[in-house]
Each structure stands twice: as structure tokens, then as C-alpha cells.
Amino acid sequence: MPSTDATLSSELLDEEQELKQDIDSSRQTTERYTVLADYLERIHEEYQNKEWPRTMCSKCVTSRHVYCHDCALLVIPEEDWPDSVRNHTLQTCLPFQLDILLDDRRSASSGVQMAALFHHAAAEPADDATNSQHQQPSPVVRFVELDRGQSIPDYGEDEDSIKTVLLYPGPGSIPLSSLLEGKAADTTLRLVALDCKWRNSVRRAEKLSSLTMVHLDNPPSQSHYWRWHNAGPGCLSTAEAVFWAAWQLVSGDGMSAASNCSSRREDNEQRLLDIMWLFAVQRSIILRRFHAEVRERVIPHLPFTDEAKEIARGYRRKQNHVRQQN
């Protein structure tokens, strides 16, 4: 009997320890998700009274507000950029090389916003602002414009020291954290992120079919993006998915394996938040316009709320039904 009691006591202790670990993990996950929400709110408070005039893009000479989605360039005055972009340190926070493959409507693309920030952050200071805006971005981040005829890189030709994975939570994908198991210290991780509609055929392209698919270990259940979709709950924008992938590696055990991180974790986390800066600014503008245009609202909810997205889905279903009837 004593051995039975000891066994029972051990099992209860193990269960208690597992429960404590689950509670701690849940608490950490909740705290992690509030980091981005707090940053978005902070940017809104900082810029809610800021009025930027439309400005000519230095490349395409088109009038733009905040940034040019065609050229992936900022048109906001440089003094308003985050320090990590002005100081050319934004790209040093990434724990991986990043390829953004764009095959979507540019004005609705969060990947373009991220590409614009990295373009300016990677450009070396020049004698004049025009020349600095046209310098080539750092090889840490590549923006592949499939919508303009560029080809998907041939990842089969990567060096052995580069491990390339596709960030896509599909059947057969593995947790992002599993990449760190047995990872050689001299191996560089390259993350490929698709910026396209969920059902776009580019994700089935032959050059991507051989890549290991990875997903976030604990993705947030809700997106802060204002664009709706029919893919179900838990789907994120490209920018959010890249941010959370980087955050998971930098703030967790992946820090020691992050070859491109060059400073303390706290500094990296702040720079990581800055990769969402243009996303946050655009969201703040949408929020401000929503409250300013009360009489003109078609949907009585903020665009990035579940209620607004469901109403938009209903409109689309109704439109499709009318088309089918005709």
C-alpha cells in the first residue's frame, strides 16, 4: 500500500505541475498578444491629431498619402519615421531572412507596408533624400513582386547554410519552434511569406512545393487588420504573421539561434514592434476617419472588428446571390 500511495502522490504532483505550466503558458500567451494591441493604441494616441498632406511619390510622381503602395516608399516626412527606420537598424531585429511574395491588390497589401519600412531602413544615408529612397534594400529582406512579372526565387539553389521555410498554416505544416531543434549555429533561417488571397494558386507553385511549411505555435485568434476574408477565424494579415513569427523566435528560446539579432532582447522587441509602424499608422487613420464620418457610415462598426467583417461578408454573399440569379 505505501508504494501505491507514493505513486498516487507522484501522479497528483505531476498533474499539479502540468496545470501550473499550462496556466503560466496561458498567461504568457495573453500578455504576448497585448504587446501588439498596446503598440497600435500608442501609435494612435501619438498620431491621431497628425495631418499629413498628400505628397508626390519621388519615384512614380503620383500624389500619395502616407506611403506609395505602387513603389513601396514612404511619403511621410522623415522626421516622423520611427527611430529604427531613420537609424537604419530596423532590419537587425529579424531572427531570419525574409522573402515577401506579393500577388495581391497593392492598396490592400500589408506586405507592401512592411516592404516600404525595410526599404528605407536599409538604405544608407545619402547626400540627398531622393537618392537615398532609390537605393537597393538589404538582402535580409526581399520583396518579390509576382504581380509585376517577377519570378519566385529558386529556393532549391540555396546554400546548405540556409534553411528556407514557407510560413503557411496548411495541412502538413509544423510548429515554428520545431525548427530550432537540432539547428546548427551557422544555419541561417529564411522565412517565405505569401502576400496574396488565401485561395490564390501561388501557394501551390512548384518552386514552393518542396519547402517545409511552418505555422505559429500559438497564433492569436483575432486579427487587427481591417480587411475581411472567408477563410475562417485565426487568419492574420501578412504583416501580422511575419511579426508574430519573429516575436516568437526573438522573445522565446529562439533568441540564441537568431543569427541576425545583434542586441539585447528588449531592444530587438522594440524594433520588432516598429515593423508594424506603418500598419499602425494606417489603422489609426482608418479609426480617425470612422469617428469623423458618422453620417456617411455604411457599416456601423470599426472596419477591423468582427461585426464589421461579418457585415461585409453578408454584402458579398448577397452580391454573389444576385449574380447567380442573373
Side-chain angles (χ1 to χ4, degrees):
M1 291 301 294
S3 61
T4 303
D5 292 341
T7 301
L8 180 60
S9 176
S10 177
E11 290 177 350
L12 290 174
L13 186 62
D14 289 342
E15 291 180 1
E16 182 180 355
Q17 184 66 26
E18 289 180 2
L19 179 60
K20 183 177 183 301
Q21 291 176 350
D22 290 342
I23 293 174
D24 289 343
S25 176
S26 177
R27 177 181 55 78
Q28 292 171 3
T29 298
T30 301
E31 290 176 353
R32 180 162 64 92
Y33 294 152
T34 62
V35 168
L36 181 55
D38 292 345
Y39 178 78
L40 297 176
E41 181 61 28
R42 176 160 60 87
I43 294 300
H44 175 61
E45 291 178 356
E46 183 176 351
Y47 293 103
Q48 61 180 327
N49 296 320
K50 190 79 173 181
E51 291 290 346
W52 288 296
R54 295 184 68 87
T55 306
M56 289 294 182
C57 172
S58 62
K59 187 174 181 180
C60 67
V61 197
T62 302
S63 177
R64 298 297 188 191
H65 186 227
V66 180
Y67 73 107
C68 178
H69 56 259
D70 281 330
C71 305
L73 292 175
L74 297 175
V75 298
I76 292 176
E78 185 171 344
E79 58 265 24
D80 291 325
W81 298 357
D83 290 342
S84 58
V85 176
R86 288 202 312 271
N87 300 335
H88 311 287
T89 59
L90 182 67
Q91 66 275 19
T92 65
C93 73
L94 287 179
F96 43 66
Q97 293 184 4
L98 173 64
D99 282 6
I100 301 174
L101 310 187
L102 173 66
D103 192 20
D104 199 359
R105 187 160 49 93
R106 285 174 170 259
S107 59
S109 164
S110 64
V112 171
Q113 298 171 351
M114 191 169 285
L117 289 175
F118 279 114
H119 177 95
H120 289 281
E124 293 297 330
D127 293 337
D128 62 85
T130 301
N131 288 336
S132 67
Q133 288 190 357
H134 296 301
Q135 294 190 32
Q136 293 299 313
S138 165
V140 172
V141 178
R142 295 192 297 187
F143 185 50
V144 185
E145 300 173 299
L146 303 181
D147 63 325
R148 293 183 173 174
Q150 291 186 0
S151 300
I152 297 175
D154 192 347
Y155 296 112
E157 297 181 353
D158 282 346
E159 300 176 4
D160 293 339
S161 61
I162 298 178
K163 171 65 175 177
T164 303
V165 297
L166 177 65
L167 182 60
Y168 189 81
S173 64
I174 62 175
L176 183 61
S177 60
S178 65
L179 296 176
L180 302 178
E181 300 173 4
K183 180 180 179 292
D186 60 347
T187 300
T188 298
L189 179 64
R190 174 184 286 136
L191 191 76
V192 178
L194 303 180
D195 196 354
C196 63
K197 291 183 178 179
W198 194 254
R199 301 183 186 279
N200 193 308
S201 60
V202 69
R203 64 186 177 86
R204 296 187 293 273
E206 183 177 352
K207 288 183 178 180
L208 300 178
S209 61
S210 62
L211 297 182
T212 299
M213 294 192 303
V214 298
H215 60 259
L216 302 175
D217 287 54
N218 296 294
S221 59
Q222 291 184 319
S223 169
H224 293 286
Y225 199 29
W226 46 93
R227 188 178 183 184
W228 62 273
H229 56 75
N230 286 314
C235 295
L236 306 175
S237 66
T238 300
E240 289 172 300
V242 170
F243 168 79
W244 285 121
W247 188 272
Q248 177 181 328
L249 296 179
V250 168
S251 62
D253 294 336
M255 184 63 184
S256 59
S259 60
N260 290 321
C261 292
S262 59
S263 63
R264 294 180 298 109
R265 176 184 296 180
E266 293 79 5
D267 294 334
N268 273 11
E269 289 180 351
Q270 179 54 53
R271 281 198 287 270
L272 271 180
L273 286 167
D274 283 343
I275 73 176
M276 296 297 291
W277 181 77
L278 197 51
F279 181 100
V281 167
Q282 189 71 21
R283 191 174 184 273
S284 176
I285 292 172
I286 291 172
L287 182 60
R288 187 171 68 231
R289 288 177 177 173
F290 176 86
H291 290 301
E293 299 169 357
V294 178
R295 297 181 181 179
E296 302 176 16
R297 293 178 190 167
V298 176
I299 298 178
H301 301 283
L302 286 165
F304 33 80
T305 61
D306 290 338
E307 294 83 358
K309 293 176 182 179
E310 184 54 40
I311 292 175
R313 293 187 193 99
Y315 284 149
R316 177 59 59 86
R317 287 193 293 266
K318 184 176 180 179
Q319 290 175 348
N320 291 339
H321 179 72
V322 171
R323 292 193 190 99
Q324 292 174 0
Q325 293 298 316
N326 295 334

